Amino acid sequence: MDTQDRLIEATRELLWERGYVGTSPKAIQQHAGAGQGSMYHHFTGKPDLALAAIGRTAEEMREAATRVLDAPGSAYERISAYLLRERDVLRGCPVGRLTMDPEVIASDELRAPVDETIAWLRERLAAIVREGLDRGEFTPGLTPDDLAATIVATVQGGYVLARASGSTDAFDAGVRGLLTLLGPPIEPVLHF
């Protein structure tokens, strides 16, 4: 891995652990094993390096979601696979956590890849919900955009609750509850 990549990877890790404000150029350099000259040779400063790191994190998140959401199977199976995929729940979402960082939110440039990634995920999930509605997999009348927002909110909120309690129980319960609500419509049993 070259110096530029080491700097980006170090920044990604530190942003996830400490947030933007808590990530100093010196900490990045130490974590990457790179000098100040190397950092400023590749990047104009911390915002430029953070933008590269956030962009790479967002890209990896989209790739991971795409692998699950584009896999074969019903809409319910693909959404279920997305919700149940392996993740480090107690660390939280590396993209979602950035929405809590006032410096990131205050910067249109740093916020853009975060916002774009969340919007992309909601659009992709809404498209899958539409497919499921068209195939009769979900209860008629569901609004795809609203359901996609609910899925994203369940995951992101689950991360927050898990981190607050120090346990994955709240995340797991939210996912189980959502999957129960999304389950295939049950045909009424007619008794004669």
Side-chain angles (χ1 to χ4, degrees):
M1 184 179 311
D2 67 13
T3 303
Q4 184 175 10
D5 279 332
R6 286 197 329 269
L7 287 163
I8 291 170
E9 290 303 313
T11 304
R12 289 178 63 200
E13 186 67 27
L14 291 169
L15 286 173
W16 197 2
E17 286 176 13
R18 304 177 183 180
Y20 184 82
V21 173
T23 300
S24 69
K26 184 175 181 109
I28 294 168
Q29 293 160 24
Q30 288 175 338
H31 201 75
Q36 184 175 3
S38 294
M39 181 173 156
Y40 290 102
H41 170 75
H42 295 289
F43 302 96
T44 59
K46 178 180 165 182
D48 184 38
L49 179 51
L51 183 61
I54 293 168
R56 185 175 289 176
T57 297
E59 181 181 325
E60 280 189 10
M61 182 180 157
R62 285 189 303 270
E63 288 172 0
T66 296
R67 280 192 297 276
V68 175
L69 296 173
D70 287 356
S74 69
Y76 178 85
E77 289 168 341
R78 292 182 289 154
I79 290 171
S80 178
Y82 169 74
L83 288 168
L84 296 170
R85 76 180 176 85
E86 187 175 328
R87 39 173 63 98
D88 193 349
V89 173
L90 294 178
R91 279 191 82 192
C93 174
V95 173
R97 284 192 64 187
L98 294 170
T99 65
M100 303 295 187
D101 196 309
E103 296 290 324
V104 172
I105 296 306
S107 166
D108 290 341
E109 189 175 32
L110 293 176
R111 188 181 66 246
V114 173
D115 188 40
E116 289 165 7
T117 300
I118 293 170
W120 171 87
L121 182 58
R122 286 177 61 174
E123 289 169 13
R124 185 69 190 100
L125 288 165
I128 293 171
V129 171
R130 272 187 217 88
E131 289 175 30
L133 283 167
D134 291 345
R135 295 180 191 155
E137 293 177 43
F138 298 127
T139 303
L142 290 176
T143 305
D145 291 337
D146 292 351
L147 189 50
T150 301
I151 294 167
V152 173
T154 298
V155 170
Q156 293 302 318
Y159 282 133
V160 171
L161 295 174
R163 286 178 55 81
S165 68
S167 167
T168 62
D169 292 345
F171 183 95
D172 296 340
V175 167
R176 280 192 313 271
L178 182 56
L179 288 172
T180 299
L181 292 171
L182 285 176
I186 299 171
E187 294 295 324
V189 177
L190 301 176
H191 299 279
F192 297 98

